[in-house]
Amino acid sequence: MCMKNSDDIPLLKVESISKYYGRRIGCLGIEFELWPGEALGIVGESGSGKTTLLNCISGQLEPSEGAVWYSSNGGVIDMCNAPEPQRRLVMRTEMGTVYQNPRDGLRMHVSAGGNIGERLMANGLRHYGQVRRRALNWLEKVEIDQERIDDTPDTFSGGMQQRLQIARNLVTRPRLIFMDEPTSGLDVSVQARLLDLLRGLVTELDLSMVIVTHDLAVTRLLAHRLIVMRGGKAVESGLTDQVLDDPQHPYTQLLVSSILQP
Amino acid sequence: MKWMIDVDRLNKNFFLHTQGEAKIPVFRDFHMKLKPGESIALVGPSGVGKSTLLRLLYGNYKTGSGKILVHHNGDVLNMAGADPHMILHIRKWTIGYVSQFLRVIPRVPAIQVVMEPLTVRGASEKEVRPRAEELLSRLRIPERLWSLSPTTFSGGEQQRINIARGFSATYPVMLLDEPTASLDPVNSGTVVEIIKEAIGMGTSIIGIFHDEDVRNRLASRCVEIQPVNNHTK
Amino acid sequence: MKKQLKRQSNTGKDRPRIMAGYNFAYLDEQTKRMIRRTILKAVAIPGYQVPFGSREMPLPYGWGTGGIQVTASLIGPEDTLKVIDQGADDTTNAVSIRRFFSRTAGVHTTTRTREATIIQTRHRIPETHLRNGQIIVYQVPIPEPLRFIEPRAKEVLRMHALKEYGIMFVKLYEDISRYGRIAKAFDYPVLVNDRYVMSPSPIPKFDNPKMDCMPALQIFGAGREKRIYSVPPYTKVKSLDFEDYPFEVERWSRCCALCGSDNSYLDEIIMDDRGSKLFVCSDTDHCNERVAGGYKGNQAESIEEAQISTGTGARKCA
Ligand SMILES: Nc1ncnc2c1ncn2[C@@H]1O[C@H](COP(=O)(O)OP(=O)(O)OP(=O)(O)O)[C@@H](O)[C@H]1O
Ligand SMILES: Nc1ncnc2c1ncn2[C@@H]1O[C@H](COP(=O)(O)OP(=O)(O)O)[C@@H](O)[C@H]1O
Ligand SMILES: [Mg+2]
Ligand SMILES: [Mg+2]
Ligand SMILES: [Zn+2]
């Protein structure tokens, strides 16, 4: 055990990202750094720009202003201006996205095994037996009965679909994962199980994560740091426990006081 | 190194924006130093700001103004206004904190809760398990509970898990918020022993100890926190 | 226009006459130039689908309008054309396309693979090895191999552009997990020149190996979908597969009942109401040539006499 120096470089550096939809503001001047192994929560009311921000930093939406620097295995790249092949390669090997709606993140008519195997095969694995073994292994990891490997996700429950999305993304061992409300629309007990699973995987794989949620308890459990958004702006940001225990902005105080026990 | 922590002209107010903009002043130009090997007991009436000070030192509360300087990894860093990433690093290696209550995480077994401060430093569970088991045994947590989540444990059991967790790793500085509060005398004695061992290994301590006997056995000096309104000097 | 027509038109001695009122090979020169430019581009980027302004042809889509436009743009008065449909020269489709070019371009036509300079085909590659200098034109109904699995056309384009073909293997994976093998028997996807995944049109996978390093130029035309693509001579064409489930072609335990060939693609024909079956070469020219050369299958007589043998005993090859 040794105290690693903390001045190695951040995994993600977001510089003053803004996105305008015509004259409407999607998000405005957001900046933060994300370090290896760190989880960042983005909270805020509906329409506050959480998804917009997430899409901008995950390379799925081009921001109107600002820059996103990602330090990939092959060096730092400018996610907004990198050539598309390079960006997509990084996105499918080093990053992953879990969508709020499983339909956006899964191929509903492809078996669970095929869904998990897709990234492996996209990255060049050409051995059916190995694809299958790793799919089985991941089904187990995300607590889906291995016998369901040949079933399509449209026969799965909401919680299983989300867990399948997670497996599909994590199978290539990405370093950074984006999640947009991964637990909304699930029963409380199913939510808890999913969060628990995520927490374990994040530590086990040393994942970094950006998670959008409106549930402060989720951020308490998963996020090291928090950004509170309102009207497209970050009204407050900092360590999760600091933001939740000693909120500064009136809006954050309102958020925190309106829940029972964050 | 003349000090481990140097609190300089610390100010802290709470503003309750949702409750008629109430302002609660807690510290005004407060200062104190923690020297290496020292064990300070914070004293003062309830509500005066003892826990608030520990939380400020831990980066859990946001400093209004002033400095909280910490020796960390060969550098002097200011906890007030430090980047969250840096605060996490300081918490991982330099400052430990035992809160008044354990914040339980659903479905995580007690033994894992105890090992976590070591595993986040990169050690394997296998390496650190003996230390966790030793602490749990000494604190009289029955072995059958080790693999269960502390969610359903009694207040005293939870507090002992909290202490085991706090002392599984060693830190240069430990912040203790009433570590023996809800414990019986026997367990309380064990906790005092564990703290003494840490002091013996070079940990400096700032603590809140309600029990006078405990305080006398552990503290090398007391720092009295004054209510802000009467605060002179 | 008149002059050009004259130059291009029938000066040969015994060629069929061009029907009055049509431009050479039906299409106007402008269109043919446009299609030739498309073909050049397709040859330059093996396996890449080049869009083109497909024209209305005097027959409905699905009848090989893409192939016909390609042929019309390539053919010259000196060419000899062969047209096959599923290997046969004598089906309605093949016959009418042959007649179409014979009337509009006045070219020689043939059923002999060796004699043809251009072979237009629907769903087969002849058994006879094609040589350098020949051109084979495939009629393609659906040119996009990724479409069935990724319906968003824009995303499909991007996948080709970035060589992101994981999804293609997902399809093969699904086959194996469902049927224990790659079930696709026709239109089996290939990787051309290590770059583009390409649909070979609905030929049996039996024909896939023939595409690899073929000395002849291969051109694919999809009329309805307005795409032309190509495999230039001697280009690498690899059928997609897994290391542990390698690509394999179908094999028959029998030989052609007519010519005894044991290595050609066989069609199954039902001989009577009781369901008796016979297996014969799908490539009629190949079969005829062998028979003419003295090869014989063990059912040759019985077929000639239209007498059906129902015997199922082991068949020996000639
Ligand atoms: N494609 C778009 N075109 C126009 N406006 C958009 C578009 N996408 C989002 N917006 C607007 O931008 C703002 C932020 O939207 P965004 O989807 O980021 O919100 P959100 O915080 O994710 O909300 P929710 O919690 O409801 O998912 C909203 O005012 C929204 O109406
Ligand atoms: N998170 C908080 N938000 C607002 N006020 C707080 C917060 N934490 C503590 N306070 C207030 O600060 C003062 C000091 O509290 P505390 O530090 O808990 O006292 P103690 O000395 O008893 O440990 C009290 O008035 C308390 O109500
Ligand atoms: Mg959203
Ligand atoms: Mg207190
Ligand atoms: Zn034959």
Side-chain angles (χ1 to χ4, degrees), chain B residues 46-52 55 100 177-178 208 210:
Chain B
S46 171
V48 77
K50 304 181 292 294
S51 300
T52 299
R55 286 164 172 253
Q100 245 170 318
D177 197 341
E178 308 203 23
I208 303 166
H210 235 62

Side-chain angles (χ1 to χ4, degrees), chain C residues 2 18 25 99 111 166 279:
Chain C
K2 270 264 157 61
I18 296 182
R99 188 162 43 195
T111 59
F279 289 85

Side-chain angles (χ1 to χ4, degrees), chain C residues 124-139:
Chain C
R124 273 309 313 274
I125 299 176
E127 307 291 1
T128 311
H129 291 301
L130 301 186
R131 58 172 195 278
N132 193 229
Q134 287 180 309
I135 300 175
I136 177 165
V137 177
Y138 298 76
Q139 297 172 201

Side-chain angles (χ1 to χ4, degrees), chain A residues 46-47 49-52 100 180-181 212:
Chain A
S46 186
K50 307 181 293 291
T51 302
T52 301
Q100 175 171 4
D180 195 351
E181 309 263 12
V212 165

Side-chain angles (χ1 to χ4, degrees), chain A residues 110-121 125 127-151 156 163-172, chain C residues 170 173-174 177:
Chain A
V110 166
S111 69
N115 265 290
I116 299 177
E118 180 173 345
R119 273 176 159 233
L120 292 172
M121 294 185 271
L125 184 59
H127 192 284
Y128 174 83
Q130 282 174 24
V131 172
R132 193 141 178 105
R133 259 195 303 286
R134 290 179 63 178
L136 282 168
N137 187 267
W138 270 96
L139 283 176
E140 187 180 19
K141 266 199 161 78
V142 299
E143 300 169 21
I144 295 175
D145 187 353
Q146 294 185 335
E147 292 197 345
R148 304 297 299 268
I149 186 167
D150 294 326
D151 296 346
F156 286 8
R163 277 177 275 145
L164 186 60
Q165 272 205 77
I166 291 168
R168 175 180 154 88
N169 274 288
L170 296 190
V171 65
T172 48
Chain C
V170 169
Y173 168 94
E174 292 288 282
S177 67

Side-chain angles (χ1 to χ4, degrees), chain C residues 256 259 261 281 287:
Chain C
C256 171
C259 76
S261 167
C281 292
C287 199

Side-chain angles (χ1 to χ4, degrees), chain B residues 179-192:
Chain B
T180 58
S182 47
L183 300 183
D184 57 83
V186 181
N187 279 313
S188 178
T190 309
V191 172
V192 170

